[in-house]
Amino acid sequence: MTLENLDKIYSSDKMALSYEIFPPKDDDTGEKLNKLYLELEILKQYNPNLISVTYGAGGSNRNLSLDIISYIYYELKINVMPHFTCICTKKEDIANYLKEIEKYNIKNILALRGDEPQDITVCYRDFRYANELVDFIKSNTDLSVAVAGYPEGHILAPDLESDIKNLKKKILAGGEVIFTQMCFDNDKFFYYVDKLKDFDINVPIAFGLLPILSFKQFEKMMSMAKVSIPKKLLDGLYKYKDNSDDIKKFSIDYTTEQAQALIDSKLISGLHFYTLNKAYSTSAILDNLGFNN
Ligand code: FAD
């Protein structure tokens, strides 16, 4: 397998494919981890360019993340991109962790600020925003750096424009690709892309797609992020509220249509699936889009 930097993956004409997974919580027996690896075997058949692994607040799941990173690279032989957050963390600890992950032959990292953990007693302010982390990584490693973008604005930003101004700081610091927060409304995204152009932000975009798996998951997500739900999606979610099979089927169709329109728009360089550690919906969408041919 060849290890590829973000600029190589996202510069080709071919639509890049990536998945986000998270280290399973409360997994004393390792059962959830084994299940995750089986799901990844299914997703592997679509030839993803990379798999990204989330990072727990304050590094809470570091060891498990490292096991997963190693599995993806050495066993599945797929490029892996760890997420990394800097909030409340000492510069020295960040430098040490970066050294540690570089041992795993990774080429790429998603640099994030993160959210302040609620149960923390001391919060170091060595890094206040993600642009400072991007700068630190670019100055101290050879890693390619991705950053987060919010098509409807970050939840704490006063408005979309100020959030994009802050995104620009991450790009100027060396952010090479934008991975977006989940977004269900292509019109909002197209507006966002126009705004990015106003700020002269022209780096490739990997669009975050979230196939909804259940009504409960939808409700939880709505309480955490600033995302609008188009009427068509909302109507379907309420219609199939009590049947998770029907909700999954509806969401697969909705996301397939959304992804196809994004591909046709030629405004994105990659599809990034928030898999929630499950292969079923993501693979059905990729089948519909013809990724298995
Ligand atoms: P920043 O870019 O620093 O932005 C945070 C806020 O501060 C924004 O409102 C922004 O407008 C403002 N801001 C930014 N820079 C400045 C500046 N220089 N001066 C003033 N204001 C500024 N969280 C996790 O804990 N683990 C994960 O693995 C994880 N993965 C994610 C993956 C993706 C693709 C996305 C979109 C989010 C992810 N998150 C993750 C959530 C993320 O950590 C939170 O959304 C966090 O609140 C913001 O992180 P950021 O890197 O976007 O922060």
Side-chain angles (χ1 to χ4, degrees), residues 20 53-58 83-85 110-115 128-132 147-150 154-158 162-164 166-167 169-170 179-182 272 274:
E20 179 188 290
V53 183
T54 66
Y55 188 79
H83 299 197
F84 188 39
T85 68
L110 175 58
L112 299 147
R113 188 200 64 172
D115 295 314
R128 288 160 311 145
Y129 296 107
N131 63 292
E132 296 163 13
V147 296
Y150 303 83
H154 182 259
I155 198 158
L156 298 176
S162 19
D163 198 37
I164 294 177
N166 290 325
L167 172 62
K169 291 176 195 161
K170 298 195 271 196
F179 279 72
T180 76
Q181 184 172 54
M182 67 207 141
H272 182 61
Y274 291 104

